[in-house]
Amino acid sequence: MSRRTLAILAAIGATIIYALNHTIAKGVMPNHVQPFGFIMLRVIGASILFWSVSVFGPREKIEKKDYPRMFICALLGMGLNMLVFFKGLSLSTPINSAVLITTTPIIVVLLSSVLIKEKIIPQKMIGILIGLLGALGLIFFGTELRADAPNIPLGNFLILMNSVFYGSYLIGAKTLIAKYHPFTFMKWLFTIGIFICLPFGYHELMAIDWPNLPFEALWKIAFVVLGTTFCTYLFNIFALTQLKASTLSAFVYVQPLIGILFAVATGQDKLTTLKILAGCLVFLGVYLASKKPKPNPLEP
């Protein structure tokens, strides 16, 4: 089997894990673990795992001038991003989460224009507007009543904010990713993330009743820590060594489809007209915002 084929399989694996995560993580909260306590498990577990595998990478020291950027990246990517996503997921539904999480490419394009002055062509602007229209539809009109989703509009808003924080993290991390080995970068980011999340998640972490947790909750926790937080990053890094970033980004369209099918198949969520319409708008928006324009043959 060629390395390119393995890279494609790795990208598919990461996409499937991300897609299943919406339903699996939701199945643990809030009956067994509160959302902020869950985030503490993620950052502590990922930190231990990345420090363990870092022995296979180069020994690097973080330069002092990079400390502030490293902290900001940890705050955005391992702090605010995770906290608002899991809190939002605990308040909303797996399908809403799977749809809204795909707004990240739209947010990246928008933030790139604001923060680093990248030009937005009309096609991308139309995509941004269409995608955000779908997201806002879920936020303001997602009013179904469910015992496990006590505040769907607020949950949807927090999931959208996750895309904002994660998009900001991607932009801020560009320089550091190019400078440091992935193991070095991630072990320090997750370590800093522990201290950022500790004030929010300490009490919820201590409240976990480990002796009485059922096996179902334990394997779901392990899936999120090992799969969603650790393996997906390694899979994507390997995939990027053989595939173009544009090729890898195309898998963002597959994730919500798998996530929705899994949520419906397991009975954890159901499709509604609003979710279908909002999802179509978001997918169309992401496609337009991510698609590279055709070169103008008249331009030099």
Side-chain angles (χ1 to χ4, degrees):
M1 188 177 294
S2 68
R3 289 180 64 85
R4 178 176 173 80
T5 302
L6 287 173
I8 293 174
L9 291 176
I12 293 173
T15 300
I16 292 174
I17 292 173
Y18 278 134
L20 301 186
N21 178 66
H22 301 282
T23 299
I24 291 175
K26 176 72 176 178
V28 181
M29 301 180 293
N31 293 333
H32 303 296
V33 181
Q34 295 296 318
F36 292 164
F38 211 155
I39 294 304
M40 288 302 304
L41 294 177
R42 289 189 69 181
V43 292
I44 293 172
S47 179
I48 293 171
L49 290 169
F50 277 111
W51 274 96
S52 299
V53 299
S54 67
V55 298
F56 301 105
R59 293 186 178 181
E60 297 175 309
K61 288 186 177 181
I62 305 299
E63 295 183 16
K64 289 185 178 180
K65 66 178 182 179
D66 291 328
Y67 286 168
R69 181 180 287 268
M70 187 73 74
F71 176 80
I72 292 173
C73 287
L75 177 65
L76 294 170
M78 281 66 194
L80 298 174
N81 159 54
M82 289 188 179
L83 290 168
V84 297
F85 174 68
F86 265 56
K87 185 64 175 180
L89 181 58
S90 71
L91 297 174
S92 188
T93 69
I95 289 181
N96 286 341
S97 173
V99 169
L100 288 169
I101 204 71
T102 58
T103 59
T104 299
I106 296 175
I107 299 298
V108 169
V109 171
L110 189 59
L111 291 175
S112 295
S113 172
V114 175
L115 299 177
I116 57 179
K117 309 303 179 185
E118 284 190 4
K119 184 180 179 181
I120 299 181
I121 62 174
Q123 171 190 298
K124 291 183 180 291
M125 179 57 70
I126 293 172
I128 290 171
L129 293 176
I130 292 175
L132 291 181
L133 182 63
L136 292 174
L138 282 178
I139 291 172
F140 290 110
F141 300 105
T143 55
E144 63 180 302
L145 299 176
R146 289 177 47 162
D148 64 341
N151 195 333
I152 291 177
L154 177 58
N156 291 344
F157 173 75
L158 291 175
I159 294 169
L160 182 62
M161 288 305 298
N162 154 78
S163 294
V164 174
F165 291 132
Y166 188 67
S168 302
Y169 155 75
L170 290 177
I171 294 171
K174 275 185 177 181
T175 303
L176 296 176
I177 290 174
K179 188 173 183 179
Y180 298 105
H181 189 276
F183 291 165
T184 303
F185 182 59
M186 296 308 295
K187 74 180 183 182
W188 282 112
L189 247 63
F190 275 107
T191 300
I192 297 171
I194 293 174
F195 297 98
I196 292 173
C197 298
L198 193 61
F200 302 94
Y202 174 77
H203 292 292
E204 291 186 4
L205 178 65
M206 293 296 102
I208 299 175
D209 187 11
W210 291 104
N212 294 315
L213 279 183
F215 176 75
E216 180 184 6
L218 291 173
W219 80 255
K220 288 180 177 179
I221 291 171
F223 177 90
V224 173
V225 175
L226 290 171
T228 311
T229 316
F230 180 70
C231 290
T232 52
Y233 184 82
L234 294 181
F235 289 169
N236 282 328
I237 285 295
F238 174 69
L240 278 173
T241 64
Q242 305 296 319
L243 304 174
K244 293 181 180 179
S246 58
T247 302
L248 188 60
S249 66
F251 286 89
V252 74
Y253 303 107
V254 183
Q255 182 193 146
L257 298 178
I258 297 175
I260 289 170
L261 289 174
F262 184 69
V264 173
T266 56
Q268 297 298 307
D269 206 348
K270 61 182 180 179
L271 282 171
T272 64
T273 302
L274 173 64
K275 291 175 183 177
I276 294 172
L277 291 175
C280 290
L281 288 174
V282 170
F283 300 156
L284 177 60
V286 171
Y287 173 75
L288 292 175
S290 305
K291 184 181 179 183
K292 290 186 178 181
K294 293 181 179 179
N296 188 346
L298 299 178
E299 290 183 356

